[in-house]
Amino acid sequence: MAVFIDLNISHTTDKKRLQDIIETAAHLGFSTVAINHVVDLQQKKQEIGKPKSVSELFDQFPIVQGKSRPIKVLNRLTVVVSEASHFRPTNEFKSYDIIAVFPKTEKLFHAACMSFDVDIICIAVTEKQPFHFKRPPVNGAIDRGVFFEISYVPAIKDSTMRRYTISNALSLMETCKGKNVIVSSGAEKPLELRGPYDIANLGLLFGLSEGDAKAAVSTNCRAVLLHGETRKTALGIIHTMKKIQPTMEGQEEDNAPAVKRAKMEAV
Amino acid sequence: MFTNLEKCPRNLLVCEKSCFLNEKSRHDIHVAKHYFNYKVSVLIPECGVIPSRLRSVVNGFTKYYLVRDLPVYKLLEEEFLEKVASKGSIYALSYNTKIDQDNTIALLPTGQLILSVDKDTYEELGLEGQVSEYNHRQPMRYVVTIDVTSKSVALGTKRYKRAMWALKEKMPLRSDFLLARHNIAGDEEGALQSFLSQHNCKELRPSVSIQTLKDLPCPSLDPASLRGGGELCDPHQFLEWLGAVTIGVKCDNEASNFVSTYCCPEPQGSISQALLCTVTGLLLPEDIHSLLEELRRYFDEPKFTSWLSVTVHGFADSPISWGTTEHGYHKGGENFYSFVVFKNQDYWLHMGTGTNDGCPP
Amino acid sequence: MQPTDKMEESAIYERRVFKNASVYHYMKIALILENEDKRMNAAHFKQLIISALKDLYGEIGAAFPFDVLKFEENTLTAVLRVYNSGLVKLWSALTLLGSYQNEPCAVQVKQVSPFLLALSGNSRELELD
Amino acid sequence: MVRFKSRYLLCEVCVSDQSSLQLLDDRTVFSAVKAAVCHAHGDYGAALCSLSFAVKYLNAHTGVVFLRCRKSHYRLIWSALPFITSLESRGQRVPCFFNCLHIGGTIRTCQKFLIRYNTQQLHRMLRHCHTEAERLEVRRAVMSCSLKSRGKEEEEEEEEFEEEEEEWGEVV
């Protein structure tokens, strides 16, 4: 098993609140969190910008409960796509550690599974899944090492959404058999976060087995980070981005080697 | 109705009944093989003040050290092995590392160094090891055992050198450690002190807390009847009661109570007062052994009670439970044992483990 | 569930192995309220959990007993006892509990064990600094 | 391709006044069952039940209802049915209860059961007939049933035929 990771902390411009959430996550035992920047390109005036460097958030990152290490914070981008034209990787993508996509239609879900260069595909939890999960795209995503994400916070907030969350999750599990699933929070407030063992138990409601449920907050999230790393480094074969784009050096220092750093700091 | 939600993780409880005077009794082995103990609590019924001899045993528990950021290879260095480890039994366990998440390291008094490491570290280390028993789908955790007392990895051999190189240069593992040594005889403190002085370290004493509990209902015990049966309570009921007393749960509820219906198992008597003495820290099996010996002597003089109990909790994040049996953490890392010492030198021993753990010996 | 007898070495020696023989699981939990001035007693606390269970599992699904063995009003911490078959349900209902009297709250599960005794010695609570 | 196995619950809506059955439609039954599941099994039950739950057939004359759900949780719906005490339709409340007659893995097995069941019912009716005309009509009905059930030779139905027989005849 790997360390516990929550890959979905909602981004907010309220720095204090963001700090509170991250502190709570560290207190609950998460070793890594990702701040999620959601972009819905259908809405006007939405464009993908560069994320703020996480080092601006804290002078000193909070220590993970019961460990001697500080929590690691990453940046994540979620693109909501309702038309194929929405998903166009740009240079800005590179400044995020993880790229997620939230496909709104079956066609886009298929495309996201089979061809989009992403790490995570989000599953709807606030509405009824508008289409059935078909086996070929789901298997395709599993083969490509792309993960499906279920967020649990809407299930805490509202009874109707709770039903959608559980039923969409169950319907996904019928197709993917518990493989390549991550469970993350999507928290906007500190009190919405739950401990990693609690989430592992919650996973049983989503149709995951005991082992799969624990992997969904640990091992699988680690795989997502590694996938994010390989996406940036041409399948992990080369890692020469700094030299190609010298202008991005500062950014790279902060973000790109996060996983490598993770390895080193795990020592 | 929801059958998938009604299962729960497995647990094991081994119960033994024997007599301390029995030559074949293995109580001392069980104690000695449970290397990393976190807490011990003694419950003596009908006792208001801690007996002075018991107090001195409890206060005499070996001190331990919290060593910050210690490179793991230091535990394998010739100097350490010869001067520190060989002159007593040394125990070291990485501190603030979680067995289900991080690299966890333990040094046993037998000379074995156990590294329970994640996949990345294992691949980086390049040392031979076994896949952990508690993996899911893909192996994510490996256990590397380096036994410097065995011939093949003895000081100066090729494999020893390789292990040193791996831990020093290839993958310089570091961690905070809890470390303690039980001295056999003679003053060898010097070597340990000089080792510790090279590192950022803090000396700690096991913390002792003593409480007197009043008016407890208490199940009737019959030393001959371990499994309960008939009218007596079974081991699980007894351990539940022991737990309830230790954490201060009310034991005399009505069955119709709304909040709790817990009740001390029948048939029950009552205790006017009981002594609860708890020691916390890195506790050595040797100390626990002498505590147990002292508790046996408690019955040398006539007492109001016919039994007393001592419970020992292991570290939840230790890579081993008994001996070198691999220990893991699924939803909880419980590994504990509990003696019930009877007036006639009979004893019960209950050993419990959780999901990711082998069967107690 | 089958206790197994090992060969008796002496007249008095006896060994039994119980697998999954504990009928209960125990949980140590803490309730965190956004409004820290709010107080509640054990009965209210249990009522809160029961209603959370009913929301998630309905009248039939939530119809299993559990006990609040201990409740501390100052810290809002509690020890619960539940039959094995109800553990996952109780735990998930606690996880999905998000509000108390229209104010946000959260339940933190500190420890879960099939042995009540194990709740008295959790080395993850050890703090030396 | 792996098929999701289903269970079909054959139920009878029992009402005091037969004419009120005319008020029923698929949606009424659907929402009543769903509400009952939600009450009995909460949000989790409602979520489970929403996977592939459907009212496959409703006979407004006899009150026979076919419910489909996933094999894994048919007991969930089954256990909730006794809690339905009334149906709301077109602004009217119809007091009723659900009587579960049969549970089958395919619509076909349920159909066969229903034919047998209805034949039995008709035989029972025969005894209560007062006029010759009534008697004749019931006899004819019985005959038409037995004609339809020639499938008896094919003893056991394989599950492959699952969805084939969606459109099945007016056996009643």
Side-chain angles (χ1 to χ4, degrees), chain B residues 11 13 17 68 240 247 258 316-317 334, chain C residues 14 18 20 26 46 70 113 123-124 129:
Chain B
N11 60 74
L13 180 69
K17 182 189 84 178
R68 293 276 181 202
E240 182 182 48
I247 58 177
F258 173 64
D317 290 300
E334 51 277 280
Chain C
E14 185 184 344
F18 297 93
N20 295 342
Y26 306 87
K46 182 159 182 182
K70 190 183 173 188
S113 176
S123 67
R124 288 200 170 181
D129 305 287

mmCIF file with all atom_site columns, all heavy atoms in Angstrom, chain B residues 11 13 17 68 240 247 258 316-317 334, chain C residues 14 18 20 26 46 70 113 123-124 129:
data_model
loop_
_atom_site.group_PDB
_atom_site.id
_atom_site.type_symbol
_atom_site.label_atom_id
_atom_site.label_alt_id
_atom_site.label_comp_id
_atom_site.label_asym_id
_atom_site.label_entity_id
_atom_site.label_seq_id
_atom_site.pdbx_PDB_ins_code
_atom_site.Cartn_x
_atom_site.Cartn_y
_atom_site.Cartn_z
_atom_site.occupancy
_atom_site.B_iso_or_equiv
_atom_site.pdbx_formal_charge
_atom_site.auth_seq_id
_atom_site.auth_comp_id
_atom_site.auth_asym_id
_atom_site.auth_atom_id
_atom_site.pdbx_PDB_model_num
ATOM 1   N N   . ASN B 1 11  ? -10.484 -11.705 12.251 1.00 0.00 ? 11  ASN B N   1
ATOM 2   C CA  . ASN B 1 11  ? -9.653  -11.512 13.432 1.00 0.00 ? 11  ASN B CA  1
ATOM 3   C C   . ASN B 1 11  ? -9.423  -12.857 14.087 1.00 0.00 ? 11  ASN B C   1
ATOM 4   O O   . ASN B 1 11  ? -10.180 -13.795 13.870 1.00 0.00 ? 11  ASN B O   1
ATOM 5   C CB  . ASN B 1 11  ? -10.323 -10.542 14.401 1.00 0.00 ? 11  ASN B CB  1
ATOM 6   C CG  . ASN B 1 11  ? -11.664 -11.042 14.868 1.00 0.00 ? 11  ASN B CG  1
ATOM 7   O OD1 . ASN B 1 11  ? -11.747 -11.955 15.681 1.00 0.00 ? 11  ASN B OD1 1
ATOM 8   N ND2 . ASN B 1 11  ? -12.745 -10.473 14.339 1.00 0.00 ? 11  ASN B ND2 1
ATOM 9   N N   . LEU B 1 13  ? -8.251  -14.952 17.736 1.00 0.00 ? 13  LEU B N   1
ATOM 10  C CA  . LEU B 1 13  ? -7.973  -14.934 19.163 1.00 0.00 ? 13  LEU B CA  1
ATOM 11  C C   . LEU B 1 13  ? -7.519  -16.325 19.566 1.00 0.00 ? 13  LEU B C   1
ATOM 12  O O   . LEU B 1 13  ? -8.217  -17.303 19.312 1.00 0.00 ? 13  LEU B O   1
ATOM 13  C CB  . LEU B 1 13  ? -9.221  -14.534 19.957 1.00 0.00 ? 13  LEU B CB  1
ATOM 14  C CG  . LEU B 1 13  ? -9.027  -14.477 21.468 1.00 0.00 ? 13  LEU B CG  1
ATOM 15  C CD1 . LEU B 1 13  ? -8.124  -13.316 21.855 1.00 0.00 ? 13  LEU B CD1 1
ATOM 16  C CD2 . LEU B 1 13  ? -10.352 -14.341 22.187 1.00 0.00 ? 13  LEU B CD2 1
ATOM 17  N N   . LYS B 1 17  ? -4.454  -22.115 28.231 1.00 0.00 ? 17  LYS B N   1
ATOM 18  C CA  . LYS B 1 17  ? -4.590  -22.282 29.670 1.00 0.00 ? 17  LYS B CA  1
ATOM 19  C C   . LYS B 1 17  ? -3.448  -23.173 30.108 1.00 0.00 ? 17  LYS B C   1
ATOM 20  O O   . LYS B 1 17  ? -3.195  -24.198 29.478 1.00 0.00 ? 17  LYS B O   1
ATOM 21  C CB  . LYS B 1 17  ? -5.921  -22.945 29.975 1.00 0.00 ? 17  LYS B CB  1
ATOM 22  C CG  . LYS B 1 17  ? -6.208  -23.128 31.446 1.00 0.00 ? 17  LYS B CG  1
ATOM 23  C CD  . LYS B 1 17  ? -7.437  -23.972 31.638 1.00 0.00 ? 17  LYS B CD  1
ATOM 24  C CE  . LYS B 1 17  ? -7.057  -25.436 31.557 1.00 0.00 ? 17  LYS B CE  1
ATOM 25  N NZ  . LYS B 1 17  ? -8.205  -26.327 31.782 1.00 0.00 ? 17  LYS B NZ  1
ATOM 26  N N   . ARG B 1 68  ? 16.431  10.883  16.052 1.00 0.00 ? 68  ARG B N   1
ATOM 27  C CA  . ARG B 1 68  ? 15.896  11.573  14.882 1.00 0.00 ? 68  ARG B CA  1
ATOM 28  C C   . ARG B 1 68  ? 16.734  11.292  13.649 1.00 0.00 ? 68  ARG B C   1
ATOM 29  O O   . ARG B 1 68  ? 17.958  11.340  13.706 1.00 0.00 ? 68  ARG B O   1
ATOM 30  C CB  . ARG B 1 68  ? 15.891  13.087  15.118 1.00 0.00 ? 68  ARG B CB  1
ATOM 31  C CG  . ARG B 1 68  ? 14.941  13.524  16.190 1.00 0.00 ? 68  ARG B CG  1
ATOM 32  C CD  . ARG B 1 68  ? 13.550  13.684  15.615 1.00 0.00 ? 68  ARG B CD  1
ATOM 33  N NE  . ARG B 1 68  ? 12.625  14.142  16.638 1.00 0.00 ? 68  ARG B NE  1
ATOM 34  C CZ  . ARG B 1 68  ? 11.330  13.959  16.548 1.00 0.00 ? 68  ARG B CZ  1
ATOM 35  N NH1 . ARG B 1 68  ? 10.817  13.316  15.517 1.00 0.00 ? 68  ARG B NH1 1
ATOM 36  N NH2 . ARG B 1 68  ? 10.540  14.402  17.492 1.00 0.00 ? 68  ARG B NH2 1
ATOM 37  N N   . GLU B 1 240 ? -13.897 -8.410  26.625 1.00 0.00 ? 240 GLU B N   1
ATOM 38  C CA  . GLU B 1 240 ? -14.731 -7.222  26.465 1.00 0.00 ? 240 GLU B CA  1
ATOM 39  C C   . GLU B 1 240 ? -14.886 -6.514  27.803 1.00 0.00 ? 240 GLU B C   1
ATOM 40  O O   . GLU B 1 240 ? -14.747 -5.299  27.898 1.00 0.00 ? 240 GLU B O   1
ATOM 41  C CB  . GLU B 1 240 ? -16.106 -7.634  25.911 1.00 0.00 ? 240 GLU B CB  1
ATOM 42  C CG  . GLU B 1 240 ? -17.017 -6.457  25.659 1.00 0.00 ? 240 GLU B CG  1
ATOM 43  C CD  . GLU B 1 240 ? -18.394 -6.879  25.164 1.00 0.00 ? 240 GLU B CD  1
ATOM 44  O OE1 . GLU B 1 240 ? -18.982 -7.790  25.771 1.00 0.00 ? 240 GLU B OE1 1
ATOM 45  O OE2 . GLU B 1 240 ? -18.870 -6.304  24.181 1.00 0.00 ? 240 GLU B OE2 1
ATOM 46  N N   . ILE B 1 247 ? -11.088 1.181   29.788 1.00 0.00 ? 247 ILE B N   1
ATOM 47  C CA  . ILE B 1 247 ? -11.371 2.501   29.225 1.00 0.00 ? 247 ILE B CA  1
ATOM 48  C C   . ILE B 1 247 ? -12.535 3.206   29.917 1.00 0.00 ? 247 ILE B C   1
ATOM 49  O O   . ILE B 1 247 ? -12.974 4.255   29.476 1.00 0.00 ? 247 ILE B O   1
ATOM 50  C CB  . ILE B 1 247 ? -11.613 2.453   27.695 1.00 0.00 ? 247 ILE B CB  1
ATOM 51  C CG1 . ILE B 1 247 ? -12.763 1.528   27.331 1.00 0.00 ? 247 ILE B CG1 1
ATOM 52  C CG2 . ILE B 1 247 ? -10.368 2.048   26.949 1.00 0.00 ? 247 ILE B CG2 1
ATOM 53  C CD1 . ILE B 1 247 ? -13.061 1.536   25.861 1.00 0.00 ? 247 ILE B CD1 1
ATOM 54  N N   . PHE B 1 258 ? -31.611 3.048   26.457 1.00 0.00 ? 258 PHE B N   1
ATOM 55  C CA  . PHE B 1 258 ? -31.552 3.536   25.087 1.00 0.00 ? 258 PHE B CA  1
ATOM 56  C C   . PHE B 1 258 ? -30.104 3.677   24.626 1.00 0.00 ? 258 PHE B C   1
ATOM 57  O O   . PHE B 1 258 ? -29.726 3.214   23.549 1.00 0.00 ? 258 PHE B O   1
ATOM 58  C CB  . PHE B 1 258 ? -32.271 4.886   24.992 1.00 0.00 ? 258 PHE B CB  1
ATOM 59  C CG  . PHE B 1 258 ? -32.123 5.557   23.659 1.00 0.00 ? 258 PHE B CG  1
ATOM 60  C CD1 . PHE B 1 258 ? -32.647 4.967   22.514 1.00 0.00 ? 258 PHE B CD1 1
ATOM 61  C CD2 . PHE B 1 258 ? -31.453 6.768   23.540 1.00 0.00 ? 258 PHE B CD2 1
ATOM 62  C CE1 . PHE B 1 258 ? -32.513 5.581   21.279 1.00 0.00 ? 258 PHE B CE1 1
ATOM 63  C CE2 . PHE B 1 258 ? -31.320 7.383   22.300 1.00 0.00 ? 258 PHE B CE2 1
ATOM 64  C CZ  . PHE B 1 258 ? -31.848 6.784   21.172 1.00 0.00 ? 258 PHE B CZ  1
ATOM 65  N N   . ALA B 1 316 ? 1.031   -0.916  16.680 1.00 0.00 ? 316 ALA B N   1
ATOM 66  C CA  . ALA B 1 316 ? 0.162   -1.192  15.535 1.00 0.00 ? 316 ALA B CA  1
ATOM 67  C C   . ALA B 1 316 ? 0.943   -1.152  14.227 1.00 0.00 ? 316 ALA B C   1
ATOM 68  O O   . ALA B 1 316 ? 0.549   -1.769  13.249 1.00 0.00 ? 316 ALA B O   1
ATOM 69  C CB  . ALA B 1 316 ? -0.977  -0.188  15.496 1.00 0.00 ? 316 ALA B CB  1
ATOM 70  N N   . ASP B 1 317 ? 2.036   -0.399  14.204 1.00 0.00 ? 317 ASP B N   1
ATOM 71  C CA  . ASP B 1 317 ? 2.767   -0.225  12.960 1.00 0.00 ? 317 ASP B CA  1
ATOM 72  C C   . ASP B 1 317 ? 4.094   -0.954  12.944 1.00 0.00 ? 317 ASP B C   1
ATOM 73  O O   . ASP B 1 317 ? 4.998   -0.602  12.185 1.00 0.00 ? 317 ASP B O   1
ATOM 74  C CB  . ASP B 1 317 ? 2.972   1.265   12.683 1.00 0.00 ? 317 ASP B CB  1
ATOM 75  C CG  . ASP B 1 317 ? 1.670   1.937   12.326 1.00 0.00 ? 317 ASP B CG  1
ATOM 76  O OD1 . ASP B 1 317 ? 1.066   1.525   11.332 1.00 0.00 ? 317 ASP B OD1 1
ATOM 77  O OD2 . ASP B 1 317 ? 1.252   2.847   13.058 1.00 0.00 ? 317 ASP B OD2 1
ATOM 78  N N   . GLU B 1 334 ? -4.283  -4.113  15.567 1.00 0.00 ? 334 GLU B N   1
ATOM 79  C CA  . GLU B 1 334 ? -4.241  -4.696  16.901 1.00 0.00 ? 334 GLU B CA  1
ATOM 80  C C   . GLU B 1 334 ? -3.374  -5.946  16.953 1.00 0.00 ? 334 GLU B C   1
ATOM 81  O O   . GLU B 1 334 ? -3.461  -6.813  16.079 1.00 0.00 ? 334 GLU B O   1
ATOM 82  C CB  . GLU B 1 334 ? -5.645  -4.995  17.418 1.00 0.00 ? 334 GLU B CB  1
ATOM 83  C CG  . GLU B 1 334 ? -6.569  -5.789  16.513 1.00 0.00 ? 334 GLU B CG  1
ATOM 84  C CD  . GLU B 1 334 ? -7.267  -4.923  15.493 1.00 0.00 ? 334 GLU B CD  1
ATOM 85  O OE1 . GLU B 1 334 ? -8.255  -4.260  15.814 1.00 0.00 ? 334 GLU B OE1 1
ATOM 86  O OE2 . GLU B 1 334 ? -6.787  -4.912  14.339 1.00 0.00 ? 334 GLU B OE2 1
ATOM 87  N N   . GLU C 2 14  ? -4.262  -26.293 27.714 1.00 0.00 ? 14  GLU C N   1
ATOM 88  C CA  . GLU C 2 14  ? -5.353  -26.248 26.744 1.00 0.00 ? 14  GLU C CA  1
ATOM 89  C C   . GLU C 2 14  ? -5.140  -25.062 25.832 1.00 0.00 ? 14  GLU C C   1
ATOM 90  O O   . GLU C 2 14  ? -4.701  -24.000 26.271 1.00 0.00 ? 14  GLU C O   1
ATOM 91  C CB  . GLU C 2 14  ? -6.679  -26.086 27.486 1.00 0.00 ? 14  GLU C CB  1
ATOM 92  C CG  . GLU C 2 14  ? -7.876  -26.156 26.569 1.00 0.00 ? 14  GLU C CG  1
ATOM 93  C CD  . GLU C 2 14  ? -9.190  -25.902 27.313 1.00 0.00 ? 14  GLU C CD  1
ATOM 94  O OE1 . GLU C 2 14  ? -9.218  -25.969 28.559 1.00 0.00 ? 14  GLU C OE1 1
ATOM 95  O OE2 . GLU C 2 14  ? -10.180 -25.619 26.624 1.00 0.00 ? 14  GLU C OE2 1
ATOM 96  N N   . PHE C 2 18  ? -9.772  -19.116 18.091 1.00 0.00 ? 18  PHE C N   1
ATOM 97  C CA  . PHE C 2 18  ? -11.057 -18.603 17.655 1.00 0.00 ? 18  PHE C CA  1
ATOM 98  C C   . PHE C 2 18  ? -10.832 -17.715 16.444 1.00 0.00 ? 18  PHE C C   1
ATOM 99  O O   . PHE C 2 18  ? -10.054 -16.777 16.502 1.00 0.00 ? 18  PHE C O   1
ATOM 100 C CB  . PHE C 2 18  ? -11.709 -17.767 18.749 1.00 0.00 ? 18  PHE C CB  1
ATOM 101 C CG  . PHE C 2 18  ? -12.029 -18.544 19.989 1.00 0.00 ? 18  PHE C CG  1
ATOM 102 C CD1 . PHE C 2 18  ? -11.129 -18.596 21.043 1.00 0.00 ? 18  PHE C CD1 1
ATOM 103 C CD2 . PHE C 2 18  ? -13.239 -19.209 20.099 1.00 0.00 ? 18  PHE C CD2 1
ATOM 104 C CE1 . PHE C 2 18  ? -11.438 -19.303 22.192 1.00 0.00 ? 18  PHE C CE1 1
ATOM 105 C CE2 . PHE C 2 18  ? -13.548 -19.913 21.255 1.00 0.00 ? 18  PHE C CE2 1
ATOM 106 C CZ  . PHE C 2 18  ? -12.647 -19.973 22.298 1.00 0.00 ? 18  PHE C CZ  1
ATOM 107 N N   . ASN C 2 20  ? -12.620 -15.146 13.933 1.00 0.00 ? 20  ASN C N   1
ATOM 108 C CA  . ASN C 2 20  ? -13.812 -14.300 13.780 1.00 0.00 ? 20  ASN C CA  1
ATOM 109 C C   . ASN C 2 20  ? -14.888 -14.623 14.812 1.00 0.00 ? 20  ASN C C   1
ATOM 110 O O   . ASN C 2 20  ? -16.068 -14.595 14.500 1.00 0.00 ? 20  ASN C O   1
ATOM 111 C CB  . ASN C 2 20  ? -14.415 -14.459 12.377 1.00 0.00 ? 20  ASN C CB  1
ATOM 112 C CG  . ASN C 2 20  ? -13.486 -13.954 11.311 1.00 0.00 ? 20  ASN C CG  1
ATOM 113 O OD1 . ASN C 2 20  ? -12.569 -13.207 11.612 1.00 0.00 ? 20  ASN C OD1 1
ATOM 114 N ND2 . ASN C 2 20  ? -13.714 -14.361 10.085 1.00 0.00 ? 20  ASN C ND2 1
ATOM 115 N N   . TYR C 2 26  ? -15.885 -2.655  17.716 1.00 0.00 ? 26  TYR C N   1
ATOM 116 C CA  . TYR C 2 26  ? -15.917 -1.467  18.557 1.00 0.00 ? 26  TYR C CA  1
ATOM 117 C C   . TYR C 2 26  ? -15.297 -0.307  17.797 1.00 0.00 ? 26  TYR C C   1
ATOM 118 O O   . TYR C 2 26  ? -14.342 -0.476  17.057 1.00 0.00 ? 26  TYR C O   1
ATOM 119 C CB  . TYR C 2 26  ? -15.151 -1.709  19.858 1.00 0.00 ? 26  TYR C CB  1
ATOM 120 C CG  . TYR C 2 26  ? -15.643 -2.935  20.579 1.00 0.00 ? 26  TYR C CG  1
ATOM 121 C CD1 . TYR C 2 26  ? -15.124 -4.186  20.293 1.00 0.00 ? 26  TYR C CD1 1
ATOM 122 C CD2 . TYR C 2 26  ? -16.677 -2.840  21.506 1.00 0.00 ? 26  TYR C CD2 1
ATOM 123 C CE1 . TYR C 2 26  ? -15.608 -5.331  20.915 1.00 0.00 ? 26  TYR C CE1 1
ATOM 124 C CE2 . TYR C 2 26  ? -17.170 -3.974  22.130 1.00 0.00 ? 26  TYR C CE2 1
ATOM 125 C CZ  . TYR C 2 26  ? -16.631 -5.209  21.837 1.00 0.00 ? 26  TYR C CZ  1
ATOM 126 O OH  . TYR C 2 26  ? -17.117 -6.331  22.451 1.00 0.00 ? 26  TYR C OH  1
ATOM 127 N N   . LYS C 2 46  ? -26.785 9.538   20.282 1.00 0.00 ? 46  LYS C N   1
ATOM 128 C CA  . LYS C 2 46  ? -27.233 8.285   19.686 1.00 0.00 ? 46  LYS C CA  1
ATOM 129 C C   . LYS C 2 46  ? -28.374 8.529   18.706 1.00 0.00 ? 46  LYS C C   1
ATOM 130 O O   . LYS C 2 46  ? -28.423 7.918   17.633 1.00 0.00 ? 46  LYS C O   1
ATOM 131 C CB  . LYS C 2 46  ? -27.678 7.308   20.786 1.00 0.00 ? 46  LYS C CB  1
ATOM 132 C CG  . LYS C 2 46  ? -28.101 5.972   20.194 1.00 0.00 ? 46  LYS C CG  1
ATOM 133 C CD  . LYS C 2 46  ? -28.069 4.838   21.175 1.00 0.00 ? 46  LYS C CD  1
ATOM 134 C CE  . LYS C 2 46  ? -28.470 3.555   20.458 1.00 0.00 ? 46  LYS C CE  1
ATOM 135 N NZ  . LYS C 2 46  ? -28.527 2.401   21.327 1.00 0.00 ? 46  LYS C NZ  1
ATOM 136 N N   . LYS C 2 70  ? -19.671 4.561   25.726 1.00 0.00 ? 70  LYS C N   1
ATOM 137 C CA  . LYS C 2 70  ? -19.101 5.656   26.490 1.00 0.00 ? 70  LYS C CA  1
ATOM 138 C C   . LYS C 2 70  ? -19.237 6.927   25.684 1.00 0.00 ? 70  LYS C C   1
ATOM 139 O O   . LYS C 2 70  ? -19.069 6.900   24.468 1.00 0.00 ? 70  LYS C O   1
ATOM 140 C CB  . LYS C 2 70  ? -17.609 5.355   26.722 1.00 0.00 ? 70  LYS C CB  1
ATOM 141 C CG  . LYS C 2 70  ? -16.928 6.272   27.695 1.00 0.00 ? 70  LYS C CG  1
ATOM 142 C CD  . LYS C 2 70  ? -15.451 5.927   27.796 1.00 0.00 ? 70  LYS C CD  1
ATOM 143 C CE  . LYS C 2 70  ? -14.759 6.961   28.647 1.00 0.00 ? 70  LYS C CE  1
ATOM 144 N NZ  . LYS C 2 70  ? -13.317 6.771   28.620 1.00 0.00 ? 70  LYS C NZ  1
ATOM 145 N N   . SER C 2 113 ? -11.960 -1.844  15.974 1.00 0.00 ? 113 SER C N   1
ATOM 146 C CA  . SER C 2 113 ? -11.336 -3.105  16.322 1.00 0.00 ? 113 SER C CA  1
ATOM 147 C C   . SER C 2 113 ? -12.381 -4.119  16.739 1.00 0.00 ? 113 SER C C   1
ATOM 148 O O   . SER C 2 113 ? -13.423 -3.762  17.281 1.00 0.00 ? 113 SER C O   1
ATOM 149 C CB  . SER C 2 113 ? -10.338 -2.896  17.464 1.00 0.00 ? 113 SER C CB  1
ATOM 150 O OG  . SER C 2 113 ? -9.805  -4.139  17.857 1.00 0.00 ? 113 SER C OG  1
ATOM 151 N N   . SER C 2 123 ? -1.179  2.427   19.493 1.00 0.00 ? 123 SER C N   1
ATOM 152 C CA  . SER C 2 123 ? 0.130   3.078   19.443 1.00 0.00 ? 123 SER C CA  1
ATOM 153 C C   . SER C 2 123 ? 0.139   4.250   18.466 1.00 0.00 ? 123 SER C C   1
ATOM 154 O O   . SER C 2 123 ? 1.040   5.067   18.487 1.00 0.00 ? 123 SER C O   1
ATOM 155 C CB  . SER C 2 123 ? 1.201   2.074   19.051 1.00 0.00 ? 123 SER C CB  1
ATOM 156 O OG  . SER C 2 123 ? 1.010   1.648   17.722 1.00 0.00 ? 123 SER C OG  1
ATOM 157 N N   . ARG C 2 124 ? -0.890  4.359   17.604 1.00 0.00 ? 124 ARG C N   1
ATOM 158 C CA  . ARG C 2 124 ? -0.919  5.528   16.716 1.00 0.00 ? 124 ARG C CA  1
ATOM 159 C C   . ARG C 2 124 ? -1.239  6.804   17.484 1.00 0.00 ? 124 ARG C C   1
ATOM 160 O O   . ARG C 2 124 ? -1.143  7.900   16.943 1.00 0.00 ? 124 ARG C O   1
ATOM 161 C CB  . ARG C 2 124 ? -1.931  5.306   15.588 1.00 0.00 ? 124 ARG C CB  1
ATOM 162 C CG  . ARG C 2 124 ? -1.438  4.287   14.585 1.00 0.00 ? 124 ARG C CG  1
ATOM 163 C CD  . ARG C 2 124 ? -2.124  4.373   13.247 1.00 0.00 ? 124 ARG C CD  1
ATOM 164 N NE  . ARG C 2 124 ? -1.432  3.517   12.286 1.00 0.00 ? 124 ARG C NE  1
ATOM 165 C CZ  . ARG C 2 124 ? -1.783  3.381   11.014 1.00 0.00 ? 124 ARG C CZ  1
ATOM 166 N NH1 . ARG C 2 124 ? -2.805  4.045   10.551 1.00 0.00 ? 124 ARG C NH1 1
ATOM 167 N NH2 . ARG C 2 124 ? -1.108  2.600   10.201 1.00 0.00 ? 124 ARG C NH2 1
ATOM 168 N N   . ASP C 2 129 ? 6.549   14.187  21.108 1.00 0.00 ? 129 ASP C N   1
ATOM 169 C CA  . ASP C 2 129 ? 7.125   15.533  20.981 1.00 0.00 ? 129 ASP C CA  1
ATOM 170 C C   . ASP C 2 129 ? 6.396   16.526  21.884 1.00 0.00 ? 129 ASP C C   1
ATOM 171 O O   . ASP C 2 129 ? 5.209   16.440  22.058 1.00 0.00 ? 129 ASP C O   1
ATOM 172 C CB  . ASP C 2 129 ? 7.011   15.997  19.527 1.00 0.00 ? 129 ASP C CB  1
ATOM 173 C CG  . ASP C 2 129 ? 7.659   14.985  18.605 1.00 0.00 ? 129 ASP C CG  1
ATOM 174 O OD1 . ASP C 2 129 ? 8.881   14.924  18.587 1.00 0.00 ? 129 ASP C OD1 1
ATOM 175 O OD2 . ASP C 2 129 ? 6.916   14.252  17.930 1.00 0.00 ? 129 ASP C OD2 1
#
